Amino acid sequence: MAADGYTLRSWVLFLASMPTLFVVGTGLTADRWPPALGVAAGGAACGLYTLTQGHTVPHLIMAAVLFALAITAPALAWRRQRAAQAA
């Protein structure tokens, strides 16, 4: 038997993941700064929120992934801009 509210939480997680896929996809492939900075700010904020919810191994792994996305998105945008300026 699932805990009370389990079904509701799973739908919320599913619905929240759909826009996240779009934002991460555009943030990691964008040549402009606004999408990349949005992913960086969101990743950092979500990583901090995840750590406030617990310090178990899954929490730490999720926070590490979110912080990695927060660093990777602006780094890739900066690299693409430098490559475009050099060409």
Side-chain angles (χ1 to χ4, degrees), residues 52-64:
T52 64
Q53 299 303 307
H55 291 88
T56 64
V57 174
H59 285 98
L60 296 174
I61 291 171
M62 181 58 75

Side-chain angles (χ1 to χ4, degrees), residues 1-13:
M1 195 80 167
D4 291 339
Y6 176 77
T7 305
L8 178 62
R9 283 192 297 266
S10 64
W11 274 105
V12 169
L13 179 64

Side-chain angles (χ1 to χ4, degrees), residues 1-67:
M1 195 80 167
D4 291 339
Y6 176 77
T7 305
L8 178 62
R9 283 192 297 266
S10 64
W11 274 105
V12 169
L13 179 64
F14 174 75
L15 293 174
S17 68
M18 292 301 112
T20 303
L21 292 174
F22 176 73
V23 170
V24 168
T26 57
L28 295 179
T29 60
D31 294 338
R32 299 177 303 120
W33 283 103
L37 292 179
V39 171
C46 289
L48 290 173
Y49 179 75
T50 300
L51 291 176
T52 64
Q53 299 303 307
H55 291 88
T56 64
V57 174
H59 285 98
L60 296 174
I61 291 171
M62 181 58 75
V65 168
L66 290 166
F67 290 138

Side-chain angles (χ1 to χ4, degrees), residues 29-33 75-87:
T29 60
D31 294 338
R32 299 177 303 120
W33 283 103
L76 289 175
W78 176 75
R79 186 173 177 218
R80 283 191 197 93
Q81 281 186 341
R82 286 197 52 173
Q85 290 172 353

